[in-house]
Amino acid sequence: MGRSDALLQKMTLEEKIGQLNMVAASRVVTGPGELRDLQEGIRTGRIGNLLNLWGADETRAVQRLAVEESGLGIPLLMGLDVIHGHHTIFPVSLAEACQFAPDLWEKTARVAAEEAAEDGVALTFAPMLDVARDPRWGRIIESPGEDTWVASRMAAAKTRGFQGRDLAAPNSLAATAKHLCAYGAVTAGREYASAEVSERTLHETYLPPFAESVRAGVAAIMPAFIDVSGAPMTANAKLLQGWLRGIVGFEGVLISDYNAVAELLNHGVAADLVEAAALALNAGVDIDMTSGAYIQCLPEALDRGLVTMATIDASVRRVLELKERLGLFDDPYRRGSPPAQAARGPDRRELARDAARKAIVLLSNRTAVLPLAPKIKRLAIVGPLAAAPGEMLGSWASAGKPEDVVSILEGLKAALPQCQIDHAAGVDIDGQEIGGIAAAIDLCASAEVVVLCLGESAGMSGEAASRTDLGLPGRQRALAEAILDLGKPVVVTLSSGRPLTAPWLFERADAVLATWFLGHEAGHAVADVLTGTFNPTGRLPLSWPRDVGQVPIFYNELPSGRPYAPGVHYSSTYLDLPPTPQFPFGHGLSYSRFALSDLRCKPTRVKAGDTIEVSLAVHNESPLAGEATLFLFARDPVASIPRPLLELKGVQKAVLAAGERTEVTWRLPIKDLSFVGANFEPVLEPGRFEIHVGQSADPSRLLSCAVELMT
Ligand code: BGC
């Protein structure tokens, strides 16, 4: 008999339910009464899991209570939102997505896991895999962007990075894929609202990244707070049991979102907490995060016949098995024991800097003002995000400290010691005060170039931070227009957790960069790109809207019966704007210039089971070495159901010296051209498939070839 079964035989009902109970340890600091409750809960076995506690000493102290003072000595599982770094803070997830670099995604997760594990944490509530197409939704900052293929690559890379090769290793964390599912589709981008999504879209767009995380061995999954097409996810047995455990074969632990079990009452599907607890448990939710519904009400749910002991036991077994896999039974203190400094691996700040500069997207460079001239003597750095270290940490800072951030101002000063750099904020991020604009203008008078650092505060995106206005907050537009009116070269950095709509800015500024929230090395990274020490490689993982009225906006739409045609009234557009984005998915400039040609598919007549080779020539036409990013899209133009205009199937990068020409080749299995059929099985229909390759999803700039799938 395994350890879990042996333990189960000894456990009281209360001890069993304790293993399904996760409590926020932040209570520890809110008052002595609650501290006593927490200690008492651990000792009596009523609390089996904690969140929001870290630090070697802090975690060791509570672990000792569980191991030495509780009846069965079962170690605690301690979870934390280690999202984009723990002590060392990397770019926010949306910015990381701009790297299109699974190796780097894995590396930053590995370092985050090592640091958090040193602090006694055993599980992270990441990766967040919600495909997001609506920037009103604040949590788009935590997402991998609009594309399912990208989200799936991120699922695998982050899971590998957090979990390492062996979950029991002292530097591994259990990963939690979240939030299953379609959270990004909340109505009108409003936080916690309902998501109305067809079965097909669920299976084609929102679920595949979760299936991919399961294939990568993810230890835990978190259902979303919301309801999907009327089924609250915390009680959604069809998806959690039927699809996730049944079809995908997930055997790990399901952890509710914060207080979500009790919130089933608000959803209107449970009359009391007892029913809520029963619904969630029966749907397969093993751990109740903070609502207290399980610990308070599962005994009564048993009495009322709403749940069975077998269901409780199955959940307890899964939790114990996770603790076992994490090595907690063998050595409950294996995390929370910092290794010798020498064992810490490559310099984390260097990795943070590399990750940050690779996340920056050069949106425009109209007058080739960038890179800055090496001999530049005088620079004005203006705007409320220039010297705002705390904001650079983004929406989940974990243990990261603002005092460790290199601000944009500091980064540029360090990079340009010969240059006189003057700084004024001009306006606040979100205030109405414009008194500082005049001084900022004066400061610009003698500058050769103005770097204008605009954007949002970190708190304007993330959870519970939806916005209806996607423009620059406060009086930043007034500041920007006053500076643009000076007629000097103006470079704009946009620090934000979402794309910001500002067509007037893109029209007038000499260069604009999406710099998101880049973490501890933000300033060095921005300076690397502005000075040309680093030739930008970041690409947009989402379509950047011109106006909030266009959202949700994404490239892989279904074809319309009356497709958009400029100037044609009865075509799919708006009266006041074209339907096209400001910048398409995949957009991002380099200081080099690449030309693509000679796209070929080989062979062109294929059978199911074959693999084709798609190749093209890439030419660096510029006198500067650089990296090109190539996107491969497929389209099935005639099928039994309409297929999207473009579907991403692969991304490759080519590093080219000045003037160099190279060939890039993909091997594309024909099975990748299948779609989700009536029974949610993959269907491959014979006929012609188009293959398109380009530097973004801009349809007017794609190269195309075709293959014929024979019957
Ligand atoms: C968020 C989750 C997070 C959890 C624990 C919730 O409010 O939705 O993403 O993991 O809190 O902090």
Side-chain angles (χ1 to χ4, degrees), residues 257-595:
D257 205 343
Y258 204 102
N259 201 43
V261 178
E263 288 167 17
L264 288 173
L265 270 74
N266 294 344
H267 280 284
V269 292
D272 59 18
L273 208 54
V274 179
E275 283 187 18
L279 277 173
L281 188 82
N282 288 331
V285 176
D286 302 308
I287 293 182
D288 168 7
M289 186 197 283
T290 70
S291 91
Y294 281 10
I295 195 71
Q296 288 170 44
C297 301
L298 280 182
E300 188 176 336
L302 258 181
D303 290 346
R304 286 198 211 163
L306 298 176
V307 298
T308 65
M309 190 59 100
T311 310
I312 293 176
D313 284 352
S315 283
V316 176
R317 194 176 289 111
R318 283 192 284 265
V319 174
L320 294 177
E321 276 165 7
L322 175 57
K323 292 184 177 186
E324 174 94 58
R325 288 180 64 207
L326 282 161
L328 289 169
F329 284 107
D330 295 332
D331 176 7
Y333 308 108
R334 64 177 45 195
R335 296 175 185 79
S337 317
Q341 196 65 26
R344 286 192 167 194
D347 186 344
R348 291 167 181 179
R349 294 294 295 220
E350 264 314 305
L351 179 63
R353 181 171 184 157
D354 195 42
R357 58 196 193 174
K358 288 180 174 159
I360 295 172
V361 183
L362 179 60
L363 295 171
S364 67
N365 194 13
R366 273 189 328 114
T367 58
V369 61
L370 292 179
L372 295 172
K375 294 214 173 76
I376 190 156
K377 286 275 172 319
R378 195 124 188 205
L379 209 54
I381 304 188
V382 176
L385 271 306
E391 310 300 343
M392 302 292 122
L393 295 175
S395 51
W396 287 111
S398 204
K401 299 197 185 81
E403 55 268 32
D404 292 338
V405 171
V406 178
S407 71
I408 298 178
L409 180 62
E410 288 164 339
L412 279 164
K413 281 188 170 168
L416 297 167
Q418 82 293 352
C419 180
Q420 179 173 336
I421 295 183
D422 302 308
H423 163 64
V427 295
D428 290 337
I429 294 177
D430 197 18
Q432 288 308 312
E433 180 56 51
I434 50 170
I437 295 184
I441 299 293
D442 286 350
L443 200 87
C444 296
S446 39
E448 291 163 58
V449 175
V450 180
V451 178
L452 188 51
C453 303
L454 305 176
E456 298 179 306
S457 64
M460 294 181 85
S461 47
E463 186 176 346
S466 292
R467 292 182 64 203
T468 57
D469 178 359
L470 302 182
L472 283 165
R475 302 307 298 273
Q476 294 185 60
R477 180 170 182 170
L479 171 71
E481 288 184 328
I483 287 176
L484 289 164
D485 286 345
L486 297 174
K488 300 230 165 206
V490 177
V491 174
V492 179
T493 63
L494 289 178
S495 299
S496 63
R498 54 162 66 81
L500 296 176
T501 54
W504 54 273
L505 183 70
F506 299 117
E507 218 166 84
R508 296 188 62 195
D510 292 83
V512 183
L513 302 104
T515 55
W516 315 108
F517 296 118
L518 294 172
H520 275 147
E521 286 289 322
H524 286 146
V526 169
D528 286 345
V529 169
L530 296 193
T531 57
T533 312
F534 183 78
N535 188 353
T537 56
R539 301 290 182 264
L540 291 177
L542 41 67
S543 309
W544 189 294
R546 299 170 193 271
D547 187 272
V548 67
Q550 291 181 310
V551 303
I553 185 166
F554 50 96
Y555 79 83
N556 79 334
E557 282 196 30
L558 293 179
S560 162
R562 294 185 178 184
Y564 169 58
V568 177
H569 184 71
Y570 290 104
S571 79
S572 179
T573 185
Y574 302 98
L575 288 178
D576 48 358
L577 270 186
T580 52
Q582 182 85 53
F583 302 109
F585 171 89
H587 173 76
L589 303 177
S590 158
Y591 297 142
S592 312
R593 203 178 50 257
F594 306 104

Side-chain angles (χ1 to χ4, degrees), residues 96-179:
E96 280 204 298
C98 300
Q99 301 156 349
F100 286 92
D103 287 357
L104 196 49
W105 296 339
E106 184 173 338
K107 270 191 206 155
T108 51
R110 185 88 292 273
V111 167
E114 284 168 8
E115 291 186 351
E118 285 167 18
D119 263 348
V121 176
L123 174 138
T124 173
F125 305 114
M128 198 271 222
L129 302 176
D130 300 320
V131 167
R133 298 170 166 188
D134 188 336
R136 289 173 298 187
W137 187 50
R139 300 198 84 168
I140 197 167
I141 187 179
E142 299 175 55
S143 84
E146 75 175 51
D147 184 70
T148 300
W149 187 90
V150 175
S152 301
R153 303 288 78 70
M154 189 164 283
K158 287 291 181 196
T159 302
R160 281 196 306 269
F162 286 127
Q163 298 195 167
R165 255 181 254 119
D166 173 13
L167 210 50
N171 61 4
S172 287
L173 295 187
T176 309
K178 71 184 188 186
H179 311 83

